[in-house]
Amino acid sequence: MMKVRIPISQPSLSQVEMKYVVSALKSSWISSTGEFIPKFETKFAETFGARYAITTNNGTSALHLALLALGVGPGDEVIIPALTFVASSNSILYTGAKPVFVDVDPKTWMLDPQQIPNKITSRTRAIMPVHLYGYPAPMDQIRKLAKKFHLNIIEDAAEAHGAKYNGKYVGTLGDLGCFSFYGNKIITTGEGGMITTNSKKLRNKIMLLKNHGMSPQKKYWHSIVGYNYRMTNLQAAVGLAQLTKFHTFLKKREKIGTWYRQALRQVSCIILPPENNDITIGVNWLFTVLFKDGNGKTRTGLMRFLQTKGIDSRPVFYPLNQFPMYKTKEQFPVSAYISQRGITLPTYPDLSLRDISFITNMIAAYVNL
Ligand SMILES: *Cc1c(COP(=O)(O)O)cnc(C)c1O
């Protein structure tokens, strides 16, 4: 196999991470107690404008805890987009509740608010919008519906640290916001997650659930079945270091998005992802375009061609209803359309204009082959 010269993603790590991790190691606090955990949580909450931020061991457990904290369980239904990473939906299944899929809007690629009311039943408890590929979901419409039908909102912001909706960070617009710090996410801790909320009650419930259900007042007293979903001090050290560079990361990603758009706008067969506007500002998590097959050119062909040039790319997620555990009779045509045509291109802060020019020139070369 040929070595990938431009990977799809790569974390930006430097001296700051090194310094903090060494300091955590030297302190001998390497498990889930230690100074970096509260520091990371406080700084994250401050950065995002949330009252509380709670670390977790990954983004999936963050979603699971958020659902549990709201009391979502067997017999309940939660509305989510049909097009998202499987973890969004799995977290709902873990609680015993049922994920109810809604198709996405072709203009935004996000949960289509107009299709939500049809899906609401007496069992619906919550809506889980996903800010897919770093673009904000239409939160005003979703919040209106949640209010009207008395539903909670859990934002899956795993791919969208720093994306803004109406001037506010996504992840702070619902009852609870969930973030992932997996290696390819906008901020990483290797594995890790965070939940943001303004509710003290929800925060306390999450703290209890993530730590074996152990009473904060009475050591080794457990009144509920909890989980071990804690982040380690070592991971929090990496996270705190990453946060010091958060705005630099966002600026670089903005540039990369601009370079991709400028170069690909003229290329036939390519449809660009949703644009920023007055209300929504995306963060180019993984820059993703649609490729319209034609003249013997296909998405698979493009991906193979790029691979021969040492450029990694990925297909977009499959709609969830295509997986055996989520099979539905209902089809989700827009999700299927985006999934069939979507191709994700290398996106990470350390890419240069030269790298992007090389990638986009190779895309144009394939189209004109
Ligand atoms: C990455 C991701 C998750 C899960 O995060 P992990 O940290 O990998 O558990 C959940 N939802 C979406 C949309 C994601 O992209």
Side-chain angles (χ1 to χ4, degrees):
M1 222 181 99
M2 115 161 246
K3 198 168 163 270
V4 172
R5 275 173 299 164
I6 304 185
I8 195 99
S9 177
Q10 187 172 281
S12 288
L13 303 168
S14 61
Q15 289 305 318
V16 198
E17 283 82 359
M18 202 83 81
K19 195 174 122 200
Y20 288 4
V21 171
V22 169
S23 153
L25 279 170
K26 282 188 175 159
S27 77
S28 90
W29 294 101
I30 58 171
S31 270
S32 49
T33 310
E35 59 164 335
F36 286 105
I37 293 166
K39 276 188 180 162
F40 183 32
E41 291 176 336
T42 304
K43 175 114 187 193
F44 195 92
E46 259 173 38
T47 304
F48 284 80
R51 204 165 294 157
Y52 306 103
I54 309 121
T55 48
T56 62
N57 59 340
N58 59 58
T60 312
S61 58
L63 290 167
H64 188 196
L65 286 171
L67 290 157
L68 291 170
L70 291 171
V72 173
D76 294 335
E77 293 177 358
V78 178
I79 288 176
I80 66 162
L83 188 68
T84 177
F85 181 56
V86 72
S88 320
S89 189
N90 286 349
S91 70
I92 298 166
L93 228 49
Y94 297 163
T95 68
K98 183 183 161 201
V100 173
F101 304 137
V102 171
D103 206 357
V104 298
D105 179 333
K107 280 204 285 296
T108 63
W109 300 9
M110 301 296 134
L111 189 57
D112 182 355
Q114 291 194 19
Q115 298 188 48
I116 294 177
N118 281 337
K119 299 292 175 86
I120 294 175
T121 72
S122 58
R123 292 161 184 258
T124 312
R125 286 291 318 278
I127 307 176
M128 185 189 284
V130 182
H131 307 293
L132 200 69
Y133 292 106
Y135 308 108
M139 292 305 294
D140 275 351
Q141 291 95 312
I142 291 167
R143 276 156 58 129
K144 263 191 208 129
L145 289 167
K147 198 162 177 200
K148 183 171 168 194
F149 294 98
H150 307 288
L151 308 173
N152 288 117
I153 297 177
I154 298 167
E155 294 177 82
D156 182 343
E159 303 178 355
H161 322 53
K164 281 186 169 173
Y165 187 89
N166 250 342
K168 287 181 98 179
Y169 284 120
V170 303
T172 64
L173 299 159
D175 297 286
L176 295 149
C178 298
F179 295 84
S180 164
F181 304 124
Y182 183 65
N184 67 8
K185 299 292 161 78
I186 288 168
I187 290 173
T188 186
T189 61
E191 294 274 4
M194 190 78 87
I195 306 172
T196 46
T197 185
N198 290 333
S199 158
K200 189 167 190 179
K201 199 170 137 231
L202 289 174
R203 182 228 175 227
N204 291 345
K205 188 85 189 283
I206 291 165
M207 294 299 281
L208 189 68
L209 283 162
K210 82 165 200 182
N211 186 26
H212 299 294
M214 184 158 81
S215 160
Q217 287 84 30
K218 197 169 159 185
K219 282 254 177 243
Y220 299 106
W221 183 257
H222 310 267
S223 53
I224 55 163
V225 177
Y227 301 81
N228 176 359
Y229 280 173
R230 298 174 308 228
M231 176 180 274
T232 68
N233 196 41
L234 291 171
Q235 291 166 305
V238 177
L240 186 68
Q242 290 265 295
L243 266 187
T244 65
K245 297 179 283 187
F246 179 49
H247 294 288
T248 316
F249 288 167
L250 293 182
K251 276 200 197 97
K252 290 209 175 146
R253 285 179 177 275
E254 189 185 339
K255 264 194 192 149
I256 289 165
T258 307
W259 293 335
Y260 266 132
R261 282 178 197 274
Q262 277 167 356
L264 293 175
R265 207 173 289 283
Q266 304 88 338
V267 179
S268 62
C269 310
I270 296 283
I271 301 173
L272 292 173
E275 304 265 359
N276 288 342
N277 56 44
D278 290 346
I279 297 171
T280 63
I281 297 176
V283 283
N284 301 310
W285 171 52
L286 288 176
F287 196 82
T288 298
V289 298
L290 305 186
F291 187 84
K292 279 187 297 183
D293 291 6
N295 295 327
K297 304 288 163 51
T298 63
R299 177 182 73 164
T300 314
L302 172 60
M303 289 176 62
R304 285 210 191 103
F305 181 80
L306 292 178
Q307 201 59 46
T308 65
K309 306 292 174 197
I311 301 164
D312 198 7
S313 65
R314 297 264 175 87
V316 161
F317 303 126
Y318 292 97
L320 295 171
N321 68 303
Q322 294 184 9
F323 297 135
M325 62 285 194
Y326 291 120
K327 271 246 172 318
T328 56
K329 273 200 211 93
E330 187 183 357
Q331 294 304 302
F332 301 90
V334 181
S335 299
Y337 180 95
I338 293 170
S339 172
Q340 269 163 27
R341 290 164 183 78
I343 167 166
T344 290
L345 301 171
T347 320
Y348 50 92
D350 296 337
L351 283 168
S352 64
L353 175 56
R354 240 177 108 167
D355 295 325
I356 305 295
S357 299
F358 176 63
I359 297 165
T360 53
N361 285 341
M362 289 306 115
I363 295 171
Y366 174 75
V367 169
N368 299 318
L369 214 61

